Amino acid sequence: AVKIQAEAVVSRAKAEAEAITMKAQAEGERAKLLAATPLGEKLSLLEIYGDMVKQSNEGVQKVVYVDPTTTQAGNPFSLLTLQTLQKDLTQLGGTAQHPVPPA
């Protein structure tokens, strides 16, 4: 019984490996055909970008939209930018480039 189970596991693993190989070959052929046309190149690039966005958003449960105009006027909900960081550091008393002299 153990030998039969072992043979079944090996057989299943071989079938999965063959399926992966066949899928990779089919995807390679598809990529060659798509790359032969300008539209295909753009679709391939779009698919790559789409996959990248999907992967970067994995695990994200909530997205909050912040109006870009809120990055001005010291809004506490503003997005951090280099300009606001510089302004905040200046308001705190100095920056690494221009430290405030001790009193």
Side-chain angles (χ1 to χ4, degrees), residues 1 4 6-7 9 16 20 22 29 34 36-37 44 50-51 65 68-69 86 88 97-98:
I4 293 172
E7 288 175 359
V9 169
E16 288 176 5
I20 291 170
M22 289 174 60
E29 184 65 27
L34 280 175
T37 66
S44 295
D51 290 343
Y65 173 77
T69 60
Q86 183 68 32
D88 290 345
Q97 295 173 349
H98 305 288

Side-chain angles (χ1 to χ4, degrees), residues 28-75:
E29 184 65 27
R30 177 179 176 266
K32 285 180 187 175
L33 293 173
L34 280 175
T37 66
L39 178 61
E41 290 176 5
K42 291 177 182 169
L43 288 173
S44 295
L45 188 59
L46 181 62
E47 186 175 339
I48 291 169
Y49 287 151
D51 290 343
M52 183 176 62
V53 169
K54 284 181 202 173
Q55 290 175 354
S56 67
N57 286 332
E58 283 181 8
V60 174
Q61 296 177 0
K62 186 184 286 187
V63 175
V64 177
Y65 173 77
V66 178
D67 187 355
T69 60
T70 63
T71 60
Q72 303 165 7
N75 187 329

